[in-house]
Amino acid sequence: MELLANKLRPKTLDEVVGQKHLIGEGKVLTNLVRNGKIFSMILYGKPGIGKTSIANALIKELNIRSKFLNATTNNKADFDIAIEEAKMYGEMILVIDEIHRMNKDKQDILLPHIESGLIILIGLTTSNPYHKINPAIRSRCVIYELKELSVNDIVLGMKKAYEYLPDLKIDEETLKYIATLSSGDFRSALNTLEVAYYATDNHNVTIEEVKKINNKPVFFHDKDEDGHYQVLSAFQKSIRGSDVDAALHYLARLIVAGDLDSIYRRMSVIAYEDIGLANPGIGPKVMAAIHAAELVGLPEARIPLGQVVTEMALSPKSNSTYLGIDAAINDINKGLAGSIPKHIIDGSPLYVYPHNYKNDYVKQEYMPDKLKNKKYYIKKNNKYETNINKLYDEMRSE
């Protein structure tokens, strides 16, 4: 039996749920189709938000020969066959799922054909391509991030399923409940709806019936549909405020929702924005915990994440570097830049080499004249910053 999610697979871009920043009047993907042109691209975002659907819709609308492969399950011979087919037909759209897992052999096979235009690549990934995809592939592709679907997006999408579910009885509140339960995954919402339809008497789908199928707690979105961001914000504020118990509570909510990517991103920001120079060793520890969490997956991922979040909440805090770089960027945006001093321009005979002097320091001006004596970094009163500033002051005074 064909699943409901497959029956609703879009045949045109207009049928895709959400992604209005890429699809619609004047938007990039719609314009590409209108002009009959497509370029190699990478679509990335969370599961169930439309990556495969967009690839399918582009192929159908442009009517270009295509082939779907998976970077992990298809072997090198499958990629060779795809290239030979492309040569036969002059060009081919090659859709590669899990492209972040593609090994070097497969990349080496594809690169020259992507370069020549014989292969038009559409890579699909749930991982950030700037971190996970080989730069040689990435540089030959346009990268589009797909946005998380809202509850309203998913509700509208589920209503398209009515024609495939005769005699379905469901109210708006139950649709919103299923949409919220899905945590932004449209495919998951359709699967829940379909199971509920066939598992209930007279196809009468209510919230209570859905709970019998999926008892995952619904707390992640609220009536304004911004619960996702509110939980992330509360998570950061709890760590910033050194409330370890609240930090673990919000971490638990994010883990139960299965949103590891958002946890990783937010922890990485907190390490440098809120803890900063008060505990500079926390950044590498956060990266190590993220690596461990990715390696073991859920449910074990909760253990390294819980440990590092506990340390982050208990750690001393400093936002001195965060404020410093923002102040510097603000000056640049206001036009306060100025010429680089001539003596530090590369190759200048006037440059004085600090390592030739005591304490590896010699007084000379580095700032443009326009910003002379400007201070961006203002130290905070914590042990680490006090120590490094004491050494800095001693070095300059001798």
mmCIF file with all atom_site columns, all heavy atoms in Angstrom, residues 46-66:
data_model
loop_
_atom_site.group_PDB
_atom_site.id
_atom_site.type_symbol
_atom_site.label_atom_id
_atom_site.label_alt_id
_atom_site.label_comp_id
_atom_site.label_asym_id
_atom_site.label_entity_id
_atom_site.label_seq_id
_atom_site.pdbx_PDB_ins_code
_atom_site.Cartn_x
_atom_site.Cartn_y
_atom_site.Cartn_z
_atom_site.occupancy
_atom_site.B_iso_or_equiv
_atom_site.pdbx_formal_charge
_atom_site.auth_seq_id
_atom_site.auth_comp_id
_atom_site.auth_asym_id
_atom_site.auth_atom_id
_atom_site.pdbx_PDB_model_num
ATOM 1   N N   . LYS A 1 46 ? 16.054 20.277 8.458   1.00 0.00 ? 46 LYS A N   1
ATOM 2   C CA  . LYS A 1 46 ? 15.609 19.160 9.287   1.00 0.00 ? 46 LYS A CA  1
ATOM 3   C C   . LYS A 1 46 ? 14.824 18.126 8.472   1.00 0.00 ? 46 LYS A C   1
ATOM 4   O O   . LYS A 1 46 ? 14.325 18.443 7.383   1.00 0.00 ? 46 LYS A O   1
ATOM 5   C CB  . LYS A 1 46 ? 14.737 19.691 10.431  1.00 0.00 ? 46 LYS A CB  1
ATOM 6   C CG  . LYS A 1 46 ? 15.505 20.499 11.456  1.00 0.00 ? 46 LYS A CG  1
ATOM 7   C CD  . LYS A 1 46 ? 14.589 21.045 12.529  1.00 0.00 ? 46 LYS A CD  1
ATOM 8   C CE  . LYS A 1 46 ? 14.016 19.932 13.395  1.00 0.00 ? 46 LYS A CE  1
ATOM 9   N NZ  . LYS A 1 46 ? 13.203 20.460 14.509  1.00 0.00 ? 46 LYS A NZ  1
ATOM 10  N N   . PRO A 1 47 ? 14.684 16.896 8.990   1.00 0.00 ? 47 PRO A N   1
ATOM 11  C CA  . PRO A 1 47 ? 13.899 15.874 8.277   1.00 0.00 ? 47 PRO A CA  1
ATOM 12  C C   . PRO A 1 47 ? 12.446 16.305 8.099   1.00 0.00 ? 47 PRO A C   1
ATOM 13  O O   . PRO A 1 47 ? 11.864 16.975 8.958   1.00 0.00 ? 47 PRO A O   1
ATOM 14  C CB  . PRO A 1 47 ? 13.988 14.656 9.218   1.00 0.00 ? 47 PRO A CB  1
ATOM 15  C CG  . PRO A 1 47 ? 15.195 14.875 10.046  1.00 0.00 ? 47 PRO A CG  1
ATOM 16  C CD  . PRO A 1 47 ? 15.310 16.364 10.226  1.00 0.00 ? 47 PRO A CD  1
ATOM 17  N N   . GLY A 1 48 ? 11.872 15.909 6.961   1.00 0.00 ? 48 GLY A N   1
ATOM 18  C CA  . GLY A 1 48 ? 10.442 16.095 6.742   1.00 0.00 ? 48 GLY A CA  1
ATOM 19  C C   . GLY A 1 48 ? 9.996  17.501 6.428   1.00 0.00 ? 48 GLY A C   1
ATOM 20  O O   . GLY A 1 48 ? 8.813  17.831 6.583   1.00 0.00 ? 48 GLY A O   1
ATOM 21  N N   . ILE A 1 49 ? 10.915 18.372 5.960   1.00 0.00 ? 49 ILE A N   1
ATOM 22  C CA  . ILE A 1 49 ? 10.492 19.749 5.681   1.00 0.00 ? 49 ILE A CA  1
ATOM 23  C C   . ILE A 1 49 ? 10.489 20.081 4.189   1.00 0.00 ? 49 ILE A C   1
ATOM 24  O O   . ILE A 1 49 ? 10.258 21.228 3.821   1.00 0.00 ? 49 ILE A O   1
ATOM 25  C CB  . ILE A 1 49 ? 11.329 20.788 6.458   1.00 0.00 ? 49 ILE A CB  1
ATOM 26  C CG1 . ILE A 1 49 ? 12.809 20.734 6.057   1.00 0.00 ? 49 ILE A CG1 1
ATOM 27  C CG2 . ILE A 1 49 ? 11.185 20.598 7.945   1.00 0.00 ? 49 ILE A CG2 1
ATOM 28  C CD1 . ILE A 1 49 ? 13.626 21.853 6.686   1.00 0.00 ? 49 ILE A CD1 1
ATOM 29  N N   . GLY A 1 50 ? 10.781 19.074 3.330   1.00 0.00 ? 50 GLY A N   1
ATOM 30  C CA  . GLY A 1 50 ? 10.559 19.304 1.908   1.00 0.00 ? 50 GLY A CA  1
ATOM 31  C C   . GLY A 1 50 ? 11.743 19.195 0.985   1.00 0.00 ? 50 GLY A C   1
ATOM 32  O O   . GLY A 1 50 ? 11.648 19.582 -0.183  1.00 0.00 ? 50 GLY A O   1
ATOM 33  N N   . LYS A 1 51 ? 12.859 18.663 1.443   1.00 0.00 ? 51 LYS A N   1
ATOM 34  C CA  . LYS A 1 51 ? 14.046 18.597 0.575   1.00 0.00 ? 51 LYS A CA  1
ATOM 35  C C   . LYS A 1 51 ? 13.793 17.714 -0.651  1.00 0.00 ? 51 LYS A C   1
ATOM 36  O O   . LYS A 1 51 ? 14.000 18.138 -1.799  1.00 0.00 ? 51 LYS A O   1
ATOM 37  C CB  . LYS A 1 51 ? 15.248 18.066 1.374   1.00 0.00 ? 51 LYS A CB  1
ATOM 38  C CG  . LYS A 1 51 ? 15.656 18.953 2.538   1.00 0.00 ? 51 LYS A CG  1
ATOM 39  C CD  . LYS A 1 51 ? 16.891 18.449 3.250   1.00 0.00 ? 51 LYS A CD  1
ATOM 40  C CE  . LYS A 1 51 ? 16.657 17.141 3.973   1.00 0.00 ? 51 LYS A CE  1
ATOM 41  N NZ  . LYS A 1 51 ? 15.704 17.267 5.095   1.00 0.00 ? 51 LYS A NZ  1
ATOM 42  N N   . THR A 1 52 ? 13.342 16.482 -0.414  1.00 0.00 ? 52 THR A N   1
ATOM 43  C CA  . THR A 1 52 ? 13.066 15.560 -1.522  1.00 0.00 ? 52 THR A CA  1
ATOM 44  C C   . THR A 1 52 ? 11.902 16.056 -2.368  1.00 0.00 ? 52 THR A C   1
ATOM 45  O O   . THR A 1 52 ? 11.912 15.921 -3.600  1.00 0.00 ? 52 THR A O   1
ATOM 46  C CB  . THR A 1 52 ? 12.769 14.147 -0.983  1.00 0.00 ? 52 THR A CB  1
ATOM 47  O OG1 . THR A 1 52 ? 13.857 13.734 -0.147  1.00 0.00 ? 52 THR A OG1 1
ATOM 48  C CG2 . THR A 1 52 ? 12.605 13.156 -2.117  1.00 0.00 ? 52 THR A CG2 1
ATOM 49  N N   . SER A 1 53 ? 10.917 16.648 -1.724  1.00 0.00 ? 53 SER A N   1
ATOM 50  C CA  . SER A 1 53 ? 9.754  17.177 -2.451  1.00 0.00 ? 53 SER A CA  1
ATOM 51  C C   . SER A 1 53 ? 10.161 18.268 -3.427  1.00 0.00 ? 53 SER A C   1
ATOM 52  O O   . SER A 1 53 ? 9.688  18.309 -4.574  1.00 0.00 ? 53 SER A O   1
ATOM 53  C CB  . SER A 1 53 ? 8.711  17.730 -1.461  1.00 0.00 ? 53 SER A CB  1
ATOM 54  O OG  . SER A 1 53 ? 8.154  16.690 -0.698  1.00 0.00 ? 53 SER A OG  1
ATOM 55  N N   . ILE A 1 54 ? 11.043 19.162 -2.990  1.00 0.00 ? 54 ILE A N   1
ATOM 56  C CA  . ILE A 1 54 ? 11.507 20.240 -3.873  1.00 0.00 ? 54 ILE A CA  1
ATOM 57  C C   . ILE A 1 54 ? 12.297 19.656 -5.037  1.00 0.00 ? 54 ILE A C   1
ATOM 58  O O   . ILE A 1 54 ? 12.129 20.064 -6.196  1.00 0.00 ? 54 ILE A O   1
ATOM 59  C CB  . ILE A 1 54 ? 12.341 21.264 -3.090  1.00 0.00 ? 54 ILE A CB  1
ATOM 60  C CG1 . ILE A 1 54 ? 11.424 22.087 -2.178  1.00 0.00 ? 54 ILE A CG1 1
ATOM 61  C CG2 . ILE A 1 54 ? 13.114 22.186 -4.034  1.00 0.00 ? 54 ILE A CG2 1
ATOM 62  C CD1 . ILE A 1 54 ? 12.147 23.049 -1.264  1.00 0.00 ? 54 ILE A CD1 1
ATOM 63  N N   . ALA A 1 55 ? 13.174 18.685 -4.746  1.00 0.00 ? 55 ALA A N   1
ATOM 64  C CA  . ALA A 1 55 ? 13.950 18.044 -5.818  1.00 0.00 ? 55 ALA A CA  1
ATOM 65  C C   . ALA A 1 55 ? 13.022 17.403 -6.844  1.00 0.00 ? 55 ALA A C   1
ATOM 66  O O   . ALA A 1 55 ? 13.203 17.569 -8.056  1.00 0.00 ? 55 ALA A O   1
ATOM 67  C CB  . ALA A 1 55 ? 14.902 17.001 -5.225  1.00 0.00 ? 55 ALA A CB  1
ATOM 68  N N   . ASN A 1 56 ? 12.016 16.684 -6.370  1.00 0.00 ? 56 ASN A N   1
ATOM 69  C CA  . ASN A 1 56 ? 11.048 16.043 -7.270  1.00 0.00 ? 56 ASN A CA  1
ATOM 70  C C   . ASN A 1 56 ? 10.304 17.069 -8.118  1.00 0.00 ? 56 ASN A C   1
ATOM 71  O O   . ASN A 1 56 ? 10.122 16.879 -9.325  1.00 0.00 ? 56 ASN A O   1
ATOM 72  C CB  . ASN A 1 56 ? 10.027 15.242 -6.451  1.00 0.00 ? 56 ASN A CB  1
ATOM 73  C CG  . ASN A 1 56 ? 10.420 13.792 -6.296  1.00 0.00 ? 56 ASN A CG  1
ATOM 74  O OD1 . ASN A 1 56 ? 10.760 13.123 -7.270  1.00 0.00 ? 56 ASN A OD1 1
ATOM 75  N ND2 . ASN A 1 56 ? 10.380 13.296 -5.074  1.00 0.00 ? 56 ASN A ND2 1
ATOM 76  N N   . ALA A 1 57 ? 9.872  18.138 -7.468  1.00 0.00 ? 57 ALA A N   1
ATOM 77  C CA  . ALA A 1 57 ? 9.104  19.165 -8.183  1.00 0.00 ? 57 ALA A CA  1
ATOM 78  C C   . ALA A 1 57 ? 9.963  19.845 -9.257  1.00 0.00 ? 57 ALA A C   1
ATOM 79  O O   . ALA A 1 57 ? 9.491  20.093 -10.378 1.00 0.00 ? 57 ALA A O   1
ATOM 80  C CB  . ALA A 1 57 ? 8.568  20.196 -7.191  1.00 0.00 ? 57 ALA A CB  1
ATOM 81  N N   . LEU A 1 58 ? 11.216 20.142 -8.936  1.00 0.00 ? 58 LEU A N   1
ATOM 82  C CA  . LEU A 1 58 ? 12.108 20.757 -9.922  1.00 0.00 ? 58 LEU A CA  1
ATOM 83  C C   . LEU A 1 58 ? 12.296 19.846 -11.131 1.00 0.00 ? 58 LEU A C   1
ATOM 84  O O   . LEU A 1 58 ? 12.239 20.299 -12.283 1.00 0.00 ? 58 LEU A O   1
ATOM 85  C CB  . LEU A 1 58 ? 13.470 21.049 -9.275  1.00 0.00 ? 58 LEU A CB  1
ATOM 86  C CG  . LEU A 1 58 ? 13.523 22.222 -8.292  1.00 0.00 ? 58 LEU A CG  1
ATOM 87  C CD1 . LEU A 1 58 ? 14.856 22.231 -7.538  1.00 0.00 ? 58 LEU A CD1 1
ATOM 88  C CD2 . LEU A 1 58 ? 13.309 23.553 -9.003  1.00 0.00 ? 58 LEU A CD2 1
ATOM 89  N N   . ILE A 1 59 ? 12.487 18.567 -10.884 1.00 0.00 ? 59 ILE A N   1
ATOM 90  C CA  . ILE A 1 59 ? 12.701 17.604 -11.971 1.00 0.00 ? 59 ILE A CA  1
ATOM 91  C C   . ILE A 1 59 ? 11.474 17.525 -12.871 1.00 0.00 ? 59 ILE A C   1
ATOM 92  O O   . ILE A 1 59 ? 11.582 17.557 -14.101 1.00 0.00 ? 59 ILE A O   1
ATOM 93  C CB  . ILE A 1 59 ? 13.039 16.212 -11.387 1.00 0.00 ? 59 ILE A CB  1
ATOM 94  C CG1 . ILE A 1 59 ? 14.455 16.234 -10.804 1.00 0.00 ? 59 ILE A CG1 1
ATOM 95  C CG2 . ILE A 1 59 ? 12.905 15.128 -12.435 1.00 0.00 ? 59 ILE A CG2 1
ATOM 96  C CD1 . ILE A 1 59 ? 14.741 15.082 -9.861  1.00 0.00 ? 59 ILE A CD1 1
ATOM 97  N N   . LYS A 1 60 ? 10.297 17.437 -12.262 1.00 0.00 ? 60 LYS A N   1
ATOM 98  C CA  . LYS A 1 60 ? 9.063  17.299 -13.051 1.00 0.00 ? 60 LYS A CA  1
ATOM 99  C C   . LYS A 1 60 ? 8.771  18.567 -13.850 1.00 0.00 ? 60 LYS A C   1
ATOM 100 O O   . LYS A 1 60 ? 8.352  18.509 -15.001 1.00 0.00 ? 60 LYS A O   1
ATOM 101 C CB  . LYS A 1 60 ? 7.896  16.952 -12.120 1.00 0.00 ? 60 LYS A CB  1
ATOM 102 C CG  . LYS A 1 60 ? 7.976  15.528 -11.573 1.00 0.00 ? 60 LYS A CG  1
ATOM 103 C CD  . LYS A 1 60 ? 6.747  15.182 -10.763 1.00 0.00 ? 60 LYS A CD  1
ATOM 104 C CE  . LYS A 1 60 ? 6.865  13.786 -10.165 1.00 0.00 ? 60 LYS A CE  1
ATOM 105 N NZ  . LYS A 1 60 ? 6.988  12.739 -11.198 1.00 0.00 ? 60 LYS A NZ  1
ATOM 106 N N   . GLU A 1 61 ? 8.985  19.720 -13.228 1.00 0.00 ? 61 GLU A N   1
ATOM 107 C CA  . GLU A 1 61 ? 8.672  20.976 -13.932 1.00 0.00 ? 61 GLU A CA  1
ATOM 108 C C   . GLU A 1 61 ? 9.666  21.270 -15.047 1.00 0.00 ? 61 GLU A C   1
ATOM 109 O O   . GLU A 1 61 ? 9.300  21.810 -16.084 1.00 0.00 ? 61 GLU A O   1
ATOM 110 C CB  . GLU A 1 61 ? 8.633  22.134 -12.936 1.00 0.00 ? 61 GLU A CB  1
ATOM 111 C CG  . GLU A 1 61 ? 7.456  22.062 -11.964 1.00 0.00 ? 61 GLU A CG  1
ATOM 112 C CD  . GLU A 1 61 ? 6.973  23.425 -11.543 1.00 0.00 ? 61 GLU A CD  1
ATOM 113 O OE1 . GLU A 1 61 ? 6.466  24.161 -12.421 1.00 0.00 ? 61 GLU A OE1 1
ATOM 114 O OE2 . GLU A 1 61 ? 7.103  23.762 -10.358 1.00 0.00 ? 61 GLU A OE2 1
ATOM 115 N N   . LEU A 1 62 ? 10.933 20.920 -14.840 1.00 0.00 ? 62 LEU A N   1
ATOM 116 C CA  . LEU A 1 62 ? 11.948 21.200 -15.861 1.00 0.00 ? 62 LEU A CA  1
ATOM 117 C C   . LEU A 1 62 ? 12.046 20.085 -16.893 1.00 0.00 ? 62 LEU A C   1
ATOM 118 O O   . LEU A 1 62 ? 12.659 20.260 -17.951 1.00 0.00 ? 62 LEU A O   1
ATOM 119 C CB  . LEU A 1 62 ? 13.314 21.409 -15.197 1.00 0.00 ? 62 LEU A CB  1
ATOM 120 C CG  . LEU A 1 62 ? 13.418 22.693 -14.368 1.00 0.00 ? 62 LEU A CG  1
ATOM 121 C CD1 . LEU A 1 62 ? 14.633 22.636 -13.447 1.00 0.00 ? 62 LEU A CD1 1
ATOM 122 C CD2 . LEU A 1 62 ? 13.506 23.910 -15.278 1.00 0.00 ? 62 LEU A CD2 1
ATOM 123 N N   . ASN A 1 63 ? 11.462 18.919 -16.555 1.00 0.00 ? 63 ASN A N   1
ATOM 124 C CA  . ASN A 1 63 ? 11.423 17.780 -17.483 1.00 0.00 ? 63 ASN A CA  1
ATOM 125 C C   . ASN A 1 63 ? 12.828 17.384 -17.963 1.00 0.00 ? 63 ASN A C   1
ATOM 126 O O   . ASN A 1 63 ? 13.078 17.198 -19.149 1.00 0.00 ? 63 ASN A O   1
ATOM 127 C CB  . ASN A 1 63 ? 10.526 18.093 -18.691 1.00 0.00 ? 63 ASN A CB  1
ATOM 128 C CG  . ASN A 1 63 ? 10.143 16.824 -19.447 1.00 0.00 ? 63 ASN A CG  1
ATOM 129 O OD1 . ASN A 1 63 ? 10.083 15.736 -18.869 1.00 0.00 ? 63 ASN A OD1 1
ATOM 130 N ND2 . ASN A 1 63 ? 9.910  16.954 -20.743 1.00 0.00 ? 63 ASN A ND2 1
ATOM 131 N N   . ILE A 1 64 ? 13.737 17.271 -16.999 1.00 0.00 ? 64 ILE A N   1
ATOM 132 C CA  . ILE A 1 64 ? 15.110 16.842 -17.286 1.00 0.00 ? 64 ILE A CA  1
ATOM 133 C C   . ILE A 1 64 ? 15.304 15.433 -16.729 1.00 0.00 ? 64 ILE A C   1
ATOM 134 O O   . ILE A 1 64 ? 14.809 15.108 -15.648 1.00 0.00 ? 64 ILE A O   1
ATOM 135 C CB  . ILE A 1 64 ? 16.139 17.807 -16.645 1.00 0.00 ? 64 ILE A CB  1
ATOM 136 C CG1 . ILE A 1 64 ? 15.993 19.211 -17.245 1.00 0.00 ? 64 ILE A CG1 1
ATOM 137 C CG2 . ILE A 1 64 ? 17.567 17.297 -16.840 1.00 0.00 ? 64 ILE A CG2 1
ATOM 138 C CD1 . ILE A 1 64 ? 16.867 20.250 -16.578 1.00 0.00 ? 64 ILE A CD1 1
ATOM 139 N N   . ARG A 1 65 ? 15.995 14.599 -17.472 1.00 0.00 ? 65 ARG A N   1
ATOM 140 C CA  . ARG A 1 65 ? 16.244 13.233 -17.014 1.00 0.00 ? 65 ARG A CA  1
ATOM 141 C C   . ARG A 1 65 ? 16.930 13.269 -15.649 1.00 0.00 ? 65 ARG A C   1
ATOM 142 O O   . ARG A 1 65 ? 17.808 14.091 -15.398 1.00 0.00 ? 65 ARG A O   1
ATOM 143 C CB  . ARG A 1 65 ? 17.099 12.464 -18.019 1.00 0.00 ? 65 ARG A CB  1
ATOM 144 C CG  . ARG A 1 65 ? 17.186 10.982 -17.689 1.00 0.00 ? 65 ARG A CG  1
ATOM 145 C CD  . ARG A 1 65 ? 17.829 10.204 -18.813 1.00 0.00 ? 65 ARG A CD  1
ATOM 146 N NE  . ARG A 1 65 ? 17.782 8.779  -18.532 1.00 0.00 ? 65 ARG A NE  1
ATOM 147 C CZ  . ARG A 1 65 ? 16.742 7.997  -18.766 1.00 0.00 ? 65 ARG A CZ  1
ATOM 148 N NH1 . ARG A 1 65 ? 15.646 8.514  -19.320 1.00 0.00 ? 65 ARG A NH1 1
ATOM 149 N NH2 . ARG A 1 65 ? 16.776 6.701  -18.467 1.00 0.00 ? 65 ARG A NH2 1
ATOM 150 N N   . SER A 1 66 ? 16.557 12.341 -14.768 1.00 0.00 ? 66 SER A N   1
ATOM 151 C CA  . SER A 1 66 ? 17.083 12.386 -13.405 1.00 0.00 ? 66 SER A CA  1
ATOM 152 C C   . SER A 1 66 ? 17.329 10.992 -12.852 1.00 0.00 ? 66 SER A C   1
ATOM 153 O O   . SER A 1 66 ? 16.839 9.992  -13.379 1.00 0.00 ? 66 SER A O   1
ATOM 154 C CB  . SER A 1 66 ? 16.090 13.109 -12.489 1.00 0.00 ? 66 SER A CB  1
ATOM 155 O OG  . SER A 1 66 ? 14.872 12.373 -12.409 1.00 0.00 ? 66 SER A OG  1
#
